[in-house]
Amino acid sequence: MEIIKSPTGKEITCKSWQQEGLLRLLLNCLDPDIAKAPEELVAYGGRGKVARDIESLKAIVNALMNLENDETLLIQSGKPVGVFRTFEYAPRVIMAGALLVPHWSNWEYFHKLEERGLTAFGQSTAGSWAYIGTQGILQGTWETFGQVAKRHFGGTLKGKMVLTSGLGEMGSAQPLAITANGGVAIVADVDRAIVKKRLISSMIDIMADSLGEALEMAGEYIAKGEPVSIGLCGNAADVYGYFVSHKITPDVVTDQTPAHDLESYIPSGLSPREAHLLAEEEPERYEKMVMETIRRHVRAMVELKNMGAVVFDYGNNLREQGRKAGIEDAFCFPGFASEYIRPLFCEGRGPFRWVALSGDPEDIYKTDEVILSLFKGDTRLHDWLNFVERRFMFHGLPARVCWLNYKERSVFGKIINEMVTSGKLKAPIAITRDHMDAAAVASPFRETEAMKDGSDAIADWPVLNALLNCSSGATLVGIYQGGGVGIGYSIHSGVTVIADGTEQAQKRLDHVLKADPALGVIRYADAGYETAREIIKDPDFPAKVVS
Amino acid sequence: MEIIKSPTGKEITCKSWQQEGLLRLLLNCLDPDIAKAPEELVAYGGRGKVARDIESLKAIVNALMNLENDETLLIQSGKPVGVFRTFEYAPRVIMAGALLVPHWSNWEYFHKLEERGLTAFGQSTAGSWAYIGTQGILQGTWETFGQVAKRHFGGTLKGKMVLTSGLGEMGSAQPLAITANGGVAIVADVDRAIVKKRLISSMIDIMADSLGEALEMAGEYIAKGEPVSIGLCGNAADVYGYFVSHKITPDVVTDQTPAHDLESYIPSGLSPREAHLLAEEEPERYEKMVMETIRRHVRAMVELKNMGAVVFDYGNNLREQGRKAGIEDAFCFPGFASEYIRPLFCEGRGPFRWVALSGDPEDIYKTDEVILSLFKGDTRLHDWLNFVERRFMFHGLPARVCWLNYKERSVFGKIINEMVTSGKLKAPIAITRDHMDAAAVASPFRETEAMKDGSDAIADWPVLNALLNCSSGATLVGIYQGGGVGIGYSIHSGVTVIADGTEQAQKRLDHVLKADPALGVIRYADAGYETAREIIKDPDFPAKVVS
Ligand SMILES: NC(=O)c1ccc[n+]([C@@H]2O[C@H](COP(=O)([O-])OP(=O)(O)OC[C@H]3O[C@@H](n4cnc5c(N)ncnc54)[C@H](O)[C@@H]3O)[C@@H](O)[C@H]2O)c1
Ligand SMILES: NC(=O)c1ccc[n+]([C@@H]2O[C@H](COP(=O)([O-])OP(=O)(O)OC[C@H]3O[C@@H](n4cnc5c(N)ncnc54)[C@H](O)[C@@H]3O)[C@@H](O)[C@H]2O)c1
C-alpha cells in the first residue's frame, strides 16, 4: 500500500466540502505520522480500523468522491454497502460498527466473524474517522490528572509520585499529562523499543535502566519539587509488585496496559516478540501466563491502595480482567471516569475537537486565539492551550482538542464557521469529538460506572444520541460497540460536522453542537446528578426537558 | 385509568398531522379492543409496553400536542426525555427501547432495572406504537403456510393434512391461515376452555372429542378436497406420539406451544390448572415433567420428519429446548424464518402495514382496491385481501397488512398520499411495518438463523436501517432489543411515516419506502443470496451498491 496522507489546501475533489471534509479525516487517520499501522488500516487503540480492508477503503474513497449533496453513504463495520437518496441536511455518511446481537457479543465470536470478513473493530474514533493522533488522548489524560490533583492534592501534583504503565499510543500521553500537572511520573512498558521511541519523541524526559535508578531519580525531583517523567522497561506486574514488596507507596497509581484485549497484554517473563511467538505456538499456555500476570498486576494495585495510594482504573477493563483472574476485591478501586470525568459530563463538558482541513497550523493557532478571548475566565483552558502549544507538534492535519461544555460548543462553532466564510481561515474546519462524551457512551466499567441511579448498563442514551445527531444535521453519525473496553462492554456514538462557511453548515452546527452535549446533561440529570439538574432549569438550556 | 381510544376524524389537536398521526397510533395501541392489558400499558406479546408508566404516557401525549414542526421528541424506553430543535424533514419522534450494554443484556438484569423504573420492554410494535391487533400475526402465519404450500405442494394445501398445536394469542392464527391456504388443520391445545373459546369465535371450524374422531373428520375433508380446521383438546407430546405409533404421516407438522417459556408449557398428564398447582407445590418435579414432555414432543417431530412429513419450528425455541431435554438431532428440522420467510426478505418483501387515521373502515377498503388494481398479477395478494376482508373484523383504528416488496411499497405510498391530498380518503394514513423485516432485524434464533455467510449475529444492519430511515424522512424511528425472542437475542428497528397528503410527506414517503426495504435486499445480497443479488443489479434499484 502506498503512503496515505490527507489532501490539504483549498482545492477539493468531492462535490462539496461536506464530503471532502470526511474524506480528508478518513485519509488523515491513515497518515503514517499518526496511525499505528496504516498498512493494516489500523489508526490506534490496539486494532482500531478505519475500514474493513483495502478494497473497502478504495470503495469508500470512490463513493465519497462521487457522493451528491443529497445522498448518504452507509458503512457497515468499515465496509461501504450503499448510497441512498436522502435530504440536503441529512448526514452524508452513516455508520454502524462491530455491533452484534448481545448474546453473541464477545471477542471469541467477534473474531470468528472478523476472520470471515464480516465485521471490523473500529474502536471509537478510528471507525468514525475522527482520530487525530495523540493530542485527543493527551487532553483527556491531562484533564484526568488535573482532576486527580484538584480532588486529592489541592490542585497540583507538585512533589507527588505517580506510578503507571503502558507507553502505547494512548498510554504515552500519561507522562506529559503528569508533568504538565507538576508531578513526577514513573512509567513502565514491557517493550524496550517503545520506551526508547518515547524518549526520542520527548514524550518522556528520561529513560531509566532499572527500577532502582528510576526510584532514585524520582526521589531527587520530588525533593526539588520539579516535574519529570521517567520511562522504564518492565512488566507492570513486576514493577508494581516491587513497590509492594519494598513498601514504597506512590501518591497515585494507575495503568494503561492493553488489558482490555488479552491478545495484546504481555505476560511477565516474556518480551513482546517472545510473547507473540508463544501466543501462536501454544495459545493455551500463553493465555494461562497472561491471566497469572493480570492477577499479580491487579493484586499489587489493590495492595498499593491499601497502603494509602490513590489508585484508579484508567479505562482498560483491568479490574474486570483481574476479577476473572481470581482477585475478588478487584473492584475496590474506582474507575477514572466515575471518579474524575463524571463531574465534567454533568456540565456537558467533553472532548470536543476540531481539525484544520487546510492542513495549515496557522488555522489552528487562529482558533486558539478565539478560544482564549472567548472564554477569558477559564484558567484550565488557558493552561491547557499554553501547555499544548508549547509541548505538542502537529501530526497529520493540524487539530485542537478542548473540553468545552454544552454552552460553549455552539458559540465556538458559529465563530469558526464565520471565520471560514470571511476567509480568515484558509479552508473549512471539521468539528468532532471523542465517543467518550456525556450522552455518547454507555460503558459500565468506564464512563457509566456506578451511576447514581444504577443506570450504568442502559444503552438507550448513545443510540438516542446518534439518532438525534442524525436528525440535527451532523455530517457523519455512527453507532459502535466495544470502544475502550472491548466487545460486549460498551455502546457509543460518534459525530462530525464540517464547518464549511455556508449557511447550511451554520444550521447544522447550531443544532448539533447544542443538541449533542445537551442530551448529555439531560442523561445525567435523569440519573440524579445535581449539577446537571440545575443546568436543565436554565431558561436558555437548548432543549425542553419533558419527563 | 380511563378507557383509551384513539381520536378519529379530521380534526387534530397537534400542530400537524405528522405529530397527530403518531399520537393516534400511540393511543390506538391502548384501545381495549386490541390491547392485551391496557391498564398496565401492555399492548401485546407477553409484556410489550407502549410507555414506561402512566406519567410517561401523559407526558408523551402532552409533548406530542405541543411539538413544533421542526422539533423532535426523544423517548428512552417508553419515557419522554427531551424535545430538541431539528429540521422539518427530521423525524418528529425518535426512540431507543430496552437497550442494554451487551454483557448485561439478559432478563434478570433487565428486570432489576425495570423494577427501578429505568427501562421498559416494548416488544416490537408496542414500543414503537405500531401495534394494530392480531391481523399482523394472521398475515404472517398465512404467508408462512403459503410459502409451505408453494415450496412443497405446488402452491396450495388442498388435500393436505397439517398437524400443529397451541391455540394461544398467536397460535390461534394457525387454523385460519391453514384453511385459507386450502388445507386441513388438526390443532391440539391442552386447555379445553381455550379450544372451546376458539370454536365460539370461529377461529376453528370444528371441535373433535377425540383424536380418533379428529382423524376421521380430517380424512373426509381431505377426500373431498375441502379445507377445515379441527380443534382438539390434548397435549402436543401425546398427540404427536400417537401419529408416530399409528404410523400416520401428516403432510406438514409444526407447533406453537409456548416452549420458549417453560413456565407456560404444560406437561403431559396434567390439565393447565393441575399444572399450575404442581408448579407451585413441587417445582422440581414439575420441571422434570416439563422436560420429559418436551423430549417426547420433539422426539415425535423428529420421527415424523423421518417418516416424510414437512416439519418446521415455528419460532418458539422448541428445538433448543428439545436439545436441552436430550434430543441430539433436535435441529434436524429447520426454523420457519430461514426456511419460508427468507426468500421473501431477499426481495425486500415484508410485513408492510397502514392505518386509517380517520377511523373509517371505508378508507381501508379504498386502499384495498388500489392494491388490487395496482398489483393485478399478484394472486397471493388478491387471495389475502379476499380472505382477510371476509374473515376479519377491524378493531381499533382500521388497518391493513400486506407483504409488499421493495418496489411496491413506494408506488403504493405515493398513491395513498395522493388520495389523501385529493380528499378521496377522509384523513391521512399512517404507513408502518413490523420490526420483523428484511433490514430491520438481527435475531439469530429466528429471522437471521443460518444465514448463508454466517452473519446471523451481525447487528449493524438494523442500526443502519434506523439511521437511514432517520436520514430519509421517517416520522418516527426507533431501535429496540429483544422482540420475539427476549432480551439478549435480537436487535430491531421500527419506522412510521405519516402520509398526510402534503408534498413534504410525499418526499418522506418516497425516500423511506424505497430506502427501508432496499437496504434489506442489500443485506441479503451481501450475505450471498442469489435473488437479492439479481435484484440489486436492476438499473432501477433505488440505491447504489458500492461494495
Ligand atoms: N483512559 C482513557 O481515556 C483511555 C482511552 C482509550 C484507551 N484506554 C485504554 O488504555 C489501554 C492502552 O491503550 P493504548 O492505545 O496505549 O494501547 P497500545 O496497544 O498502543 O499500547 C499498549 C502498551 O502497553 C505495553 N504493555 C503490554 N502489556 C504490558 C505489561 N504487562 N506491562 C507493561 N507494559 C505492557 C505494550 O508494550 C504497549 O506499548 C487500552 O486498554 C485502552 O482501552 C484508556
Ligand atoms: N412464528 C411466529 O411468527 C411467532 C410469532 C410470535 C410468537 N411465536 C411463538 O409461538 C408460541 C406461542 O405463542 P402464543 O402467543 O400463542 O402463546 P400463548 O401463551 O398465548 O398460548 C399458548 C397455548 O399453548 C397451550 N399449551 C401449552 N402447553 C401445551 C402443550 N404441551 N400441548 C398443547 N398445548 C399446550 C396453552 O394452553 C395455550 O393455549 C410462543 O413460543 C411464541 O414465541 C411465534
Side-chain angles (χ1 to χ4, degrees):
Chain A
M1 199 174 96
E2 79 256 61
I3 284 182
I4 289 178
K5 291 243 168 211
S6 166
T8 54
K10 290 183 183 186
E11 300 300 315
I12 68 173
T13 50
C14 294
K15 299 196 173 175
S16 98
W17 269 105
Q18 294 293 312
Q19 296 88 313
E20 178 79 16
L22 298 182
L23 177 68
R24 291 190 183 188
L25 288 178
L26 163 63
L27 297 177
N28 189 50
C29 287
L30 295 172
D31 187 319
D33 287 348
I34 61 171
K36 184 175 171 183
E39 64 292 349
E40 293 164 37
L41 308 183
V42 169
Y44 79 106
R47 327 151 26 112
K49 288 174 93 171
V50 304
R52 184 96 54 94
D53 47 34
I54 296 285
E55 293 72 55
S56 296
L57 177 67
K58 285 185 184 160
I60 291 170
V61 169
N62 193 42
L64 283 173
M65 281 177 14
N66 290 300
L67 199 68
E68 299 292 342
N69 296 326
D70 61 354
E71 288 183 337
T72 298
L73 168 65
L74 272 62
I75 310 276
Q76 182 252 325
S77 289
K79 177 179 165 183
V81 295
V83 168
F84 290 79
R85 183 84 185 280
T86 55
F87 290 100
E88 208 193 335
Y89 282 102
R92 291 290 75 85
V93 172
I94 55 185
M95 299 177 151
L99 296 170
L100 298 176
V101 178
H103 182 71
W104 291 264
S105 283
N106 58 66
W107 275 120
E108 203 189 332
Y109 200 88
F110 179 85
H111 287 319
K112 267 191 219 156
L113 296 178
E114 194 185 28
E115 264 165 41
R116 291 183 178 205
L118 294 171
T119 188
F121 187 60
Q123 267 286 10
S124 303
T125 48
S128 62
W129 313 341
Y131 184 63
I132 54 163
T134 48
Q135 186 187 171
I137 211 72
L138 181 56
Q139 158 74 7
T141 314
W142 180 83
E143 203 72 51
T144 304
F145 283 106
Q147 293 291 322
V148 171
K150 190 171 156 192
R151 179 87 67 81
H152 306 286
F153 308 107
T156 171
L157 294 178
K158 192 174 164 183
K160 304 298 167 196
M161 186 199 286
V162 181
L163 171 64
T164 184
S165 47
L167 283 168
E169 284 149 85
M170 305 199 250
S172 58
Q174 298 178 102
L176 266 178
I178 294 163
T179 52
N181 278 288
V184 169
I186 297 181
V187 194
D189 193 294
V190 76
D191 189 340
R192 184 171 300 276
I194 283 276
V195 185
K196 274 204 186 133
K197 193 172 154 190
R198 299 311 181 208
L199 182 68
I200 291 163
S201 63
S202 301
M203 302 293 276
I204 54 170
D205 299 322
I206 300 172
M207 178 169 174
D209 284 333
S210 68
L211 185 44
E213 194 191 4
L215 283 166
E216 203 161 309
M217 285 192 283
E220 281 169 30
Y221 279 84
I222 288 171
K224 285 192 286 186
E226 281 177 19
V228 73
S229 58
I230 304 162
L232 172 75
C233 177
N235 193 296
D238 303 330
V239 172
Y240 294 18
Y242 182 98
F243 275 79
V244 174
S245 61
H246 288 70
K247 307 207 180 298
I248 306 165
T249 308
D251 297 285
V252 180
V253 181
T254 188
D255 172 75
Q256 283 210 17
T257 56
H260 72 284
D261 170 15
L262 296 183
E263 287 176 29
S264 310
Y265 181 92
I266 310 291
S268 172
L270 300 182
S271 70
R273 192 208 299 249
E274 289 163 349
H276 296 142
L277 274 176
L278 188 68
E280 277 190 8
E281 281 164 17
E282 296 179 63
E284 276 176 31
R285 195 172 137 226
Y286 181 76
E287 211 195 302
K288 264 202 193 135
M289 288 178 72
V290 166
M291 289 318 276
E292 172 55 17
T293 306
I294 289 265
R295 199 191 57 72
R296 285 175 41 222
H297 184 167
V298 177
R299 175 82 276 150
M301 286 175 75
V302 169
E303 292 188 11
L304 289 169
K305 180 189 148 76
N306 294 339
M307 287 157 66
V310 170
V311 180
F312 63 94
D313 176 316
Y314 209 157
N316 58 355
N317 211 13
L318 183 68
R319 290 168 301 166
E320 172 67 2
Q321 305 285 25
R323 197 190 56 73
K324 284 187 188 157
I327 307 294
E328 272 172 32
D329 49 353
F331 278 83
C332 75
F333 55 89
F336 79 109
S338 63
E339 203 63 8
Y340 306 115
I341 303 298
R342 184 145 316 148
L344 304 172
F345 280 176
C346 286
E347 313 167 18
R349 192 179 288 282
F352 186 76
R353 51 176 75 166
W354 59 100
V355 180
L357 298 172
S358 64
D360 189 336
E362 276 309 313
D363 276 1
I364 292 297
Y365 293 132
K366 281 182 194 155
T367 62
D368 285 349
E369 279 167 31
V370 171
I371 287 271
L372 288 172
S373 73
L374 211 53
F375 309 118
K376 279 212 179 72
D378 191 333
T379 52
R380 286 282 303 154
L381 213 56
H382 284 238
D383 286 353
W384 161 247
L385 285 175
N386 232 322
F387 162 65
V388 73
E389 284 195 355
R390 220 164 11 89
R391 284 299 303 262
F392 199 80
M393 282 195 7
F394 291 123
H395 307 287
L397 293 177
R400 182 63 74 226
V401 180
C402 276
W403 280 48
L404 298 185
N405 74 17
Y406 82 99
K407 259 190 187 164
E408 296 163 349
R409 297 190 198 190
S410 61
V411 173
F412 179 67
K414 183 163 191 269
I415 296 179
I416 295 291
N417 196 51
E418 286 165 359
M419 287 169 76
V420 175
T421 317
S422 68
K424 276 197 194 130
L425 298 177
K426 295 206 185 64
I429 299 281
I431 295 187
T432 181
R433 60 156 170 74
D434 195 2
H435 298 195
M436 192 191 85
D437 200 3
V441 62
S443 185
F445 288 157
R446 256 173 73 165
E447 288 85 350
T448 55
E449 175 176 343
M451 293 289 291
K452 213 166 175 174
D453 62 346
S455 61
D456 310 20
I458 299 274
D460 297 327
W461 297 99
V463 168
L464 279 178
N465 179 237
L467 291 172
L468 177 59
N469 285 332
C470 203
S471 308
S472 298
T475 311
L476 176 147
V477 177
I479 302 180
Y480 314 80
Q481 170 172 222
V485 281
I487 293 294
Y489 293 92
S490 64
I491 297 287
H492 40 98
S493 88
V495 62
T496 294
V497 194
I498 307 297
D500 60 15
T502 60
E503 244 177 75
Q504 189 201 94
Q506 180 42 41
K507 275 194 199 157
R508 287 180 181 267
L509 288 164
D510 187 52
H511 290 174
V512 173
L513 299 186
K514 282 175 179 163
D516 183 42
L519 183 62
V521 178
I522 290 179
R523 192 260 178 276
Y524 283 91
D526 190 67
Y529 290 90
E530 262 321 306
T531 330
R533 293 200 152 190
E534 283 307 311
I535 291 174
I536 61 173
K537 288 185 199 154
D538 180 348
D540 289 338
F541 186 69
K544 292 175 214 162
V545 183
V546 287
S547 73
Chain B
M1 200 174 95
E2 77 257 62
I3 284 183
I4 289 178
K5 291 241 168 214
S6 166
T8 54
K10 288 183 184 185
E11 299 301 314
I12 67 174
T13 50
C14 295
K15 300 198 172 174
S16 98
W17 270 105
Q18 295 293 310
Q19 296 88 311
E20 178 79 16
L22 299 182
L23 177 68
R24 293 190 181 187
L25 289 178
L26 162 64
L27 297 178
N28 189 50
C29 288
L30 295 172
D31 188 318
D33 287 348
I34 61 170
K36 185 175 170 183
E39 64 292 351
E40 292 164 37
L41 307 183
V42 169
Y44 80 107
R47 332 156 16 117
K49 288 174 94 172
V50 306
R52 183 95 54 95
D53 47 33
I54 297 285
E55 294 70 56
S56 295
L57 178 67
K58 285 184 184 160
I60 291 170
V61 169
N62 194 43
L64 282 173
M65 281 176 16
N66 291 300
L67 199 68
E68 300 291 343
N69 296 326
D70 61 353
E71 287 183 337
T72 298
L73 168 64
L74 273 62
I75 310 276
Q76 182 252 324
S77 289
K79 177 179 165 185
V81 295
V83 168
F84 290 79
R85 181 87 185 279
T86 56
F87 290 100
E88 208 192 335
Y89 282 102
R92 291 290 76 85
V93 172
I94 55 185
M95 298 178 151
L99 296 170
L100 298 176
V101 178
H103 182 71
W104 291 264
S105 283
N106 58 66
W107 275 121
E108 205 191 329
Y109 199 89
F110 179 85
H111 287 320
K112 267 190 220 156
L113 296 179
E114 195 185 26
E115 266 166 39
R116 291 185 178 203
L118 294 171
T119 188
F121 187 59
Q123 268 286 8
S124 303
T125 49
S128 62
W129 313 342
Y131 183 64
I132 55 163
T134 49
Q135 186 184 170
I137 286 146
L138 182 55
Q139 158 74 9
T141 312
W142 181 84
E143 202 71 52
T144 303
F145 284 107
Q147 290 293 318
V148 171
K150 187 172 158 194
R151 178 87 67 82
H152 306 287
F153 309 107
T156 170
L157 294 178
K158 193 174 164 182
K160 305 297 167 195
M161 184 199 287
V162 182
L163 171 64
T164 184
S165 47
L167 283 168
E169 275 165 275
M170 304 200 247
S172 58
Q174 297 178 101
L176 266 180
I178 293 163
T179 51
N181 278 287
V184 169
I186 299 181
V187 194
D189 194 295
V190 77
D191 189 342
R192 184 171 301 276
I194 283 276
V195 184
K196 273 202 188 136
K197 191 173 156 191
R198 300 312 181 205
L199 182 68
I200 292 164
S201 64
S202 301
M203 301 293 276
I204 54 171
D205 300 321
I206 300 173
M207 180 168 172
D209 283 333
S210 68
L211 186 43
E213 195 192 6
L215 282 165
E216 205 162 307
M217 284 192 281
E220 281 169 30
Y221 278 84
I222 288 171
K224 287 192 284 184
E226 282 177 19
V228 73
S229 58
I230 306 163
L232 172 76
C233 176
N235 193 295
D238 303 330
V239 173
Y240 293 18
Y242 182 98
F243 276 79
V244 173
S245 59
H246 289 70
K247 305 206 182 301
I248 307 165
T249 308
D251 297 285
V252 180
V253 180
T254 187
D255 173 75
Q256 282 209 16
T257 56
H260 73 286
D261 169 17
L262 295 184
E263 287 174 31
S264 311
Y265 182 91
I266 310 290
S268 172
L270 299 183
S271 71
R273 192 210 299 249
E274 289 164 348
H276 295 142
L277 275 176
L278 188 69
E280 277 190 8
E281 281 164 16
E282 297 179 63
E284 275 174 33
R285 194 171 137 227
Y286 181 76
E287 210 195 302
K288 263 200 194 140
M289 286 178 74
V290 166
M291 289 318 275
E292 172 54 17
T293 307
I294 288 265
R295 198 190 58 73
R296 285 175 42 224
H297 185 168
V298 176
R299 174 83 276 151
M301 286 176 76
V302 169
E303 290 187 12
L304 289 169
K305 181 188 146 78
N306 294 338
M307 286 158 68
V310 170
V311 180
F312 63 94
D313 175 315
Y314 209 158
N316 59 354
N317 212 14
L318 182 68
R319 292 168 300 168
E320 174 66 6
Q321 305 285 24
R323 197 189 57 73
K324 284 186 188 158
I327 309 293
E328 272 173 31
D329 49 353
F331 278 84
C332 76
F333 55 88
F336 80 108
S338 63
E339 201 65 5
Y340 303 115
I341 303 299
R342 185 146 317 150
L344 303 172
F345 281 176
C346 286
E347 313 168 18
R349 191 181 289 281
F352 186 75
R353 52 177 73 166
W354 59 99
V355 180
L357 299 173
S358 65
D360 189 337
E362 276 309 312
D363 276 0
I364 291 297
Y365 293 132
K366 282 183 194 153
T367 62
D368 285 350
E369 279 167 31
V370 170
I371 287 271
L372 288 172
S373 74
L374 209 54
F375 310 117
K376 281 213 179 69
D378 191 334
T379 54
R380 288 284 302 156
L381 215 54
H382 284 237
D383 288 352
W384 161 248
L385 285 175
N386 233 321
F387 163 66
V388 74
E389 283 194 358
R390 223 168 6 92
R391 288 297 302 262
F392 199 81
M393 280 193 10
F394 291 123
H395 307 285
L397 292 177
R400 183 61 75 225
V401 180
C402 276
W403 281 48
L404 298 186
N405 73 17
Y406 81 100
K407 258 189 188 165
E408 296 164 350
R409 298 191 197 189
S410 61
V411 173
F412 179 66
K414 183 162 191 273
I415 295 178
I416 295 291
N417 196 51
E418 286 165 359
M419 286 169 77
V420 176
T421 316
S422 69
K424 277 196 194 132
L425 299 176
K426 296 206 183 65
I429 299 281
I431 296 187
T432 181
R433 60 156 170 74
D434 194 2
H435 297 196
M436 193 192 84
D437 199 4
V441 61
S443 185
F445 285 157
R446 261 173 71 164
E447 288 85 351
T448 54
E449 173 177 341
M451 293 289 291
K452 212 166 175 175
D453 63 345
S455 61
D456 311 20
I458 298 275
D460 296 328
W461 298 100
V463 169
L464 279 178
N465 180 238
L467 291 172
L468 177 60
N469 285 332
C470 201
S471 308
S472 298
T475 310
L476 176 147
V477 177
I479 303 179
Y480 314 80
Q481 170 171 222
V485 281
I487 293 294
Y489 292 93
S490 63
I491 296 287
H492 39 97
S493 87
V495 63
T496 294
V497 193
I498 307 298
D500 61 13
T502 60
E503 243 178 75
Q504 190 202 92
Q506 180 42 41
K507 273 194 200 157
R508 287 179 180 268
L509 288 163
D510 186 53
H511 290 173
V512 173
L513 298 185
K514 281 176 179 162
D516 183 41
L519 183 62
V521 179
I522 290 178
R523 191 261 179 276
Y524 283 91
D526 190 67
Y529 290 90
E530 263 320 306
T531 330
R533 293 199 153 191
E534 283 308 311
I535 291 174
I536 60 172
K537 286 185 199 155
D538 180 348
D540 288 338
F541 186 70
K544 292 176 215 161
V545 183
V546 288
S547 73

